[in-house]
């Protein structure tokens, strides 16, 4: 007999469900919905004790009669009153908005019925009689409960762990064979397996797989990641991509400074790398082979011993307005509380609406949404990409257009980092994971940060998009309270990372020319000082950004031609030699300075560079106390401030 009914399992985690009615039937529906993680909204003029006990952060009550607009934003609706006319109104309002509805008093009138359910851990048995024989369905449920006890739930958990582990260490073909074999094992054996035993058994099964015999055993790569739900999702996504190409991986969860300190705003923890440094330490100590980051968390300049191996295809780069009470940012009343941990978001939002209160909000995505549901904030702002990756949302989740709220450099993209000396691995990771268009766009965005000598926590936005070989870049810099916001944009043909980088630097220069340093609230102790930094390699230096952040102009040159081209007729105030080799690169330029009778100040990073500078006729005026970038920058700054420069 064809009843037209089709069984589905619906994920209601964090989804809003409307229950109209407040008696015992409504209480049973609400209790079952709360058990699966739904957010329940009850509408009723009166409330029974059984339902009153359920009220809390995930179960709210509107104490009045039903109105058609109550259905708005709901995933499902339950009509559970003792009034057939009210129930009919609920069904009609829900259907008008495309929301499936259930009439608890008459299953035939609704779009669905709720079956009798027996749960054993994550395993769910549902018995549905189409509403025709609910007592018999309950009997079958009870018989199933007696037959399929807690062991079956534990066995299901073991198989879930197996599937997750195989997803990152095995190809799809091998994964399917091993899962089929494990599903046939005795229930008691599966129920007794813990997480370690599951992984060991999976490794043994893979080693014995017919397609594996005779193949060399390769060590699994260790992937460092933060331990938040979003970071783990991102790491496992990367691991799954690698597994598709036969690269086995295992996770190393790392606690970062930004994760541990939750009682202070992010900006108070330092400007750069608060979610990155501990992962890089794991790479340096060779506890990990690669690390997965949210690209927007990366410092604007990579450490010399690290490299970005790949930038993956970007997800939605926008931010989203999230609220349980208000439908949009514009609907917020004056004085409403908006939670955000980002100076960039706070500044732009304050520029739009200075009448709101912007409060600090820390924690992972789930924690932030929970705080919103608990009523601690009227609204919060989160990255769209994170919400989509975790499959979560607030009742009202509305993306901001980039023209209204510009995202952070690299927002929505994942970055894979490895050691600089692991060139073979970097090449392999790039081949498997990299998306060239996203790499060029992110390179331009990060160049804006670098050109402004800013970190990932600065109130700076940047977004690039490539269309038909032309990269369009928009960027902004704002003061903390949003009173001043500078914007700049440019477009240029791009063929490689270098041309994308050049576009970002050009936009940063435009912002600086418009007063970005003043807007960002920077002191400029070295304003008006011109430095020539001798270089021996093409990688970005950390010396230049540090001096530019103090207002200096820094020209970096790898030979005399580059120095003459960049400086023209100008004479640098200070010559900077970070190594003995760097002195030699400017040998001809130094001879020209001597011939013209020019003697800038000279700073050397260590004894070797000091000796080389002296040999070329420019003994240093200052030598850093140790051959380290921080000490060198401190020495340079002190020299420039204490001495009057005379060409």
């Amino acid at each position: 007999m064809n009843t037209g009914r089709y069984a589905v399992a619906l994920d209601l985690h964090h989804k809003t469900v409307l229950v109209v009615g407040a008696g015992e039937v409504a209480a049973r529906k609400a209790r079952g919905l709360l058990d699966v993680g739904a957010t329940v909204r009850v509408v009723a003029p009166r409330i029974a004790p059984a339902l009153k006990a359920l009220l809390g952060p995930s179960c709210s009550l509107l104490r009045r009669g039903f109105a058609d607009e109550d259905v708005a934003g709901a995933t499902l609706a339950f009509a559970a009153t003792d009034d057939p006319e009210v129930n009919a109104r609920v069904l009609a309002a829900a259907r008008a908005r495309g929301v499936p509805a259930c009439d608890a008093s008459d299953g035939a009138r609704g779009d669905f019925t709720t079956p009798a359910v027996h749960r054993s851990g994550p395993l769910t048995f549902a018995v549905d009689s189409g509403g025709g024989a609910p007592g018999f369905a309950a009997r079958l449920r009870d018989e199933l409960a007696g037959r399929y006890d807690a062991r079956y739930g534990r066995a299901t958990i073991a198989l879930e762990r197996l599937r997750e582990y195989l997803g990152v260490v095995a190809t799809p073909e091998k994964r399917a064979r091993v899962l089929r074999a494990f599903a046939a094992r005795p229930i008691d054996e599966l129920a007794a397996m813990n997480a370690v035993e599951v992984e060991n058994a999976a490794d043994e099964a893979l080693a014995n797989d017919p397609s594996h015999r005779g193949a060399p055993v390769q060590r699994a790569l260790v992937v460092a990641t933060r331990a938040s739900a979003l970071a783990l999702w991102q790491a496992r996504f990367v691991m799954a991509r690698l597994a598709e190409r036969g690269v086995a991986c295992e996770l190393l969860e790392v606690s970062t400074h930004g994760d541990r300190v939750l009682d202070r705003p992010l900006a108070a923890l330092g400007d750069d790398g608060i979610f990155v440094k501990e992962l890089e330490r794991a790479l340096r100590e060779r506890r990990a082979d690669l690390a997965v980051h949210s690209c927007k968390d990366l410092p604007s300049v990579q450490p010399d011993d690290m490299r970005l191996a790949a930038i993956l295809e970007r997800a939605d780069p926008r931010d989203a307005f999230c609220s349980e009470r208000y439908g949009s940012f514009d609907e917020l009343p004056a004085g409403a509380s908006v939670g955000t941990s980002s100076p960039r978001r706070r500044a732009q939002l304050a520029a739009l609406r200075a009448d709101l209160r912007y409060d600090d909000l820390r924690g992972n995505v789930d924690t932030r949404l929970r705080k919103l549901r608990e009523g601690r904030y009227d609204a919060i702002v989160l990255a769209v990409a994170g919400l989509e990756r975790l499959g979560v949302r607030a009742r009202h989740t509305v993306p901001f257009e980039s023209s209204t709220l510009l995202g952070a450099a690299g927002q929505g993209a994942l970055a894979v980092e490895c050691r600089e000396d692991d060139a073979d691995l970097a090449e392999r990771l790039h081949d498997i994971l990299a998306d060239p268009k996203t790499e060029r766009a992110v390179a331009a965005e990060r160049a804006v940060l670098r050109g402004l000598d800013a970190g990932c926590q600065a109130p700076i936005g940047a977004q690039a998009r490539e269309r038909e070989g032309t990269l369009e870049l928009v960027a902004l810099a704002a003061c903390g309270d949003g009173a001043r916001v500078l914007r700049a944009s440019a477009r240029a043909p791009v063929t490689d990372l270098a041309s994308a980088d050049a576009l970002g630097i050009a936009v940063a220069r435009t912002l600086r020319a418009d007063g970005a340093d003043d807007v960002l609230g920077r002191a400029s102790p070295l304003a008006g000082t011109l430095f020539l930094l001798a270089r021996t390699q093409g990688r970005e230096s950390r010396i230049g950004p540090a001096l530019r952040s103090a207002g200096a102009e820094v020209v970096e040159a790898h030979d005399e031609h580059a120095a003459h081209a960049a400086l023209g007729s100008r004479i640098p105030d200070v010559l900077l030699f970070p190594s003995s080799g760097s002195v030699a690169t400017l040998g001809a330029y130094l001879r020209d300075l001597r011939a013209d009778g020019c003697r800038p100040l000279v700073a050397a990073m260590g004894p070797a560079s000091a000796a080389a500078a002296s040999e070329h006729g420019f003994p240093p005026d200052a030598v850093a106390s140790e051959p380290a970038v921080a000490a060198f920058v401190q020495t340079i700054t002190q020299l420039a401030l204490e001495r009057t420069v005379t060409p």
Side-chain angles (χ1 to χ4, degrees):
M1 177 180 177
N2 186 352
T3 64
R5 306 183 69 80
Y6 189 84
V8 298
L10 186 62
D11 181 4
L12 292 177
H13 189 61
H14 291 328
K15 303 295 193 304
T16 298
V17 180
L18 173 68
V19 176
V20 181
E24 296 298 325
V25 174
R28 287 199 302 272
K29 300 300 182 186
R31 187 179 299 109
L33 292 165
L34 291 171
D35 286 344
V36 298
T39 299
V40 180
R41 186 165 69 242
V42 179
V43 178
R46 296 177 301 278
I47 183 168
L51 187 52
K52 187 175 182 180
L54 300 176
L55 296 180
S58 297
C59 184
S60 59
L61 170 66
L62 297 175
R63 197 184 294 272
R64 55 169 173 74
F66 170 74
D68 289 0
E69 57 267 23
D70 292 334
V71 179
T75 300
L76 296 176
F78 285 85
T81 76
D82 55 5
D83 186 336
E85 292 186 2
V86 173
N87 290 349
R89 283 180 53 214
V90 174
L91 264 62
R95 286 169 175 161
R97 291 166 173 78
V99 177
C102 169
D103 187 337
S105 64
D106 186 351
R109 292 200 306 181
D111 302 307
F112 64 93
T113 57
T114 52
V117 172
H118 162 57
R119 290 190 177 89
S120 178
L123 191 63
T124 300
F125 296 89
V127 182
D128 178 39
S129 65
F136 186 61
R139 170 191 165 182
L140 293 179
R141 176 200 60 199
D142 295 341
E143 291 180 2
L144 287 168
R147 170 68 177 83
Y148 298 100
D149 55 26
R151 295 173 303 143
Y152 286 81
R154 294 196 298 271
T156 304
I157 291 172
L159 291 171
E160 284 182 347
R161 289 170 173 164
L162 176 68
R163 176 179 291 276
E164 180 179 331
Y165 183 66
L166 291 173
V168 296
V169 301
T171 62
E173 295 79 9
K174 291 181 181 180
R175 181 164 65 243
R177 285 195 294 270
V178 173
L179 284 170
R180 284 194 298 269
F182 268 73
R185 291 193 178 192
I187 294 298
D188 287 339
E189 178 184 338
L190 291 171
M193 297 175 72
N194 60 32
V196 175
E197 290 169 336
V198 166
E199 294 184 6
N200 290 341
D203 290 339
E204 182 179 352
L206 290 172
N208 293 326
D209 187 86
S211 66
H212 188 79
R213 291 170 188 166
V217 177
Q218 295 183 348
R219 179 182 68 85
L221 296 176
V222 179
V223 180
T225 177
R226 295 166 58 197
S228 72
L230 179 58
L232 289 170
W233 185 98
Q234 293 173 170
R236 287 172 177 141
F237 177 79
V238 170
M239 294 165 73
R241 289 278 303 274
L242 293 172
E244 291 172 359
R245 296 284 291 272
V247 180
C249 301
E250 60 186 45
L251 276 173
L252 173 66
E253 296 181 22
V254 178
S255 175
T256 71
H257 183 54
D259 294 314
R260 292 191 298 271
V261 182
L262 297 175
D263 60 347
R264 282 179 281 166
L266 285 175
L269 302 184
D271 196 42
D272 241 1
I274 59 175
F275 294 116
V276 172
K277 293 178 181 177
E278 283 87 346
L279 274 65
E280 290 179 337
R281 183 178 300 118
L283 292 174
R284 291 188 181 98
E285 295 173 354
R286 300 192 178 270
R287 292 183 286 121
D289 300 291
L290 60 140
V292 178
H293 307 287
S294 292
C295 201
K296 66 184 180 66
D297 292 337
L298 289 171
S300 54
V301 178
Q302 286 295 107
D304 291 342
D305 58 343
M306 296 288 145
R307 70 162 71 185
L308 289 183
I311 305 293
L312 282 71
E313 184 176 5
R314 195 201 302 257
D316 193 327
R318 296 178 296 173
D319 289 311
F321 168 87
C322 301
S323 178
E324 294 296 315
R325 299 177 58 196
Y326 301 100
S328 70
F329 183 67
D330 291 338
E331 291 180 17
L332 290 172
S337 169
V338 180
T340 175
S341 62
S342 165
R344 171 189 58 81
R345 291 171 179 151
R346 185 186 300 245
Q348 293 184 75
L349 294 172
L352 294 170
R353 290 196 58 181
D355 62 325
L356 302 178
R357 189 175 80 248
Y358 297 98
D359 296 324
D360 195 59
L361 172 65
R362 296 293 312 279
N364 58 38
V365 173
D366 280 338
T367 299
R368 297 183 189 196
L369 287 172
R370 175 177 55 77
K371 291 178 179 178
L372 177 66
R373 290 193 300 273
E374 291 172 350
R376 301 190 196 182
Y377 304 88
D378 294 302
I380 63 176
V381 181
L382 298 173
V384 173
L387 294 170
E388 291 181 343
R389 284 164 178 161
L390 292 177
V392 296
R393 66 190 306 276
R395 180 185 178 190
H396 302 287
T397 301
V398 184
F400 288 96
E401 292 306 317
S402 297
S403 57
T404 301
L405 180 57
L406 192 63
Q411 185 160 320
L414 301 182
V416 177
E417 185 180 34
C418 66
R419 291 180 292 274
E420 173 65 24
D421 60 8
D422 211 341
D424 290 341
L425 175 60
E427 183 177 351
R428 190 176 186 190
L429 293 172
H430 188 272
D431 178 61
I432 296 173
L433 300 170
D435 178 69
K437 282 190 175 182
T438 303
E439 284 193 319
R440 290 190 288 268
V442 169
E445 294 164 10
R446 285 170 52 75
V448 172
L449 288 181
R450 200 169 62 252
L452 293 173
D453 300 312
C456 58
Q457 294 301 319
I460 294 170
Q463 184 176 330
R465 180 179 297 177
E466 185 174 332
R467 291 188 177 96
E468 299 178 352
T470 296
L471 196 64
E472 302 173 358
L473 174 63
V474 179
L476 65 82
C479 59
D481 61 3
R484 292 184 63 193
V485 179
L486 301 178
R487 300 177 187 272
S489 62
R491 63 176 63 191
V494 295
T495 55
D496 51 24
L497 295 181
S499 55
D501 190 271
L503 179 63
I505 293 295
V507 168
R509 285 174 178 160
T510 299
L511 287 171
R512 293 195 100 146
D514 290 342
D517 289 321
D518 182 49
V519 166
L520 293 170
R522 292 173 174 161
S524 303
L526 297 181
T529 306
L530 175 60
F531 292 87
L532 175 59
L533 173 60
R535 298 295 311 282
T536 59
Q537 53 183 338
R539 294 194 60 181
E540 185 71 23
S541 167
R542 287 180 291 164
I543 300 168
L547 295 173
R548 293 188 188 104
S549 67
E553 180 182 357
V554 182
V555 170
E556 303 184 36
H558 301 80
D559 56 38
E560 69 274 13
H561 302 295
H564 281 299
L567 292 168
S569 61
R570 296 188 300 166
I571 304 300
D573 298 315
V574 187
L575 300 175
L576 305 178
F577 298 122
S579 66
S580 58
S582 68
V583 180
T585 63
L586 294 185
Y589 179 79
L590 298 177
R591 286 195 299 273
D592 293 341
L593 286 180
R594 288 201 309 273
D596 293 337
C598 297
R599 177 54 168 86
L601 294 174
V602 178
M605 184 179 281
S609 54
S614 297
E615 290 176 3
H616 282 75
F618 287 86
D621 299 279
V623 180
S625 59
E626 56 178 313
V629 171
F632 190 38
V633 170
Q634 182 179 9
T635 299
I636 295 165
T637 304
Q638 184 175 358
L639 173 66
L641 292 176
E642 291 180 352
R643 296 288 298 272
T644 300
V645 177
T646 304

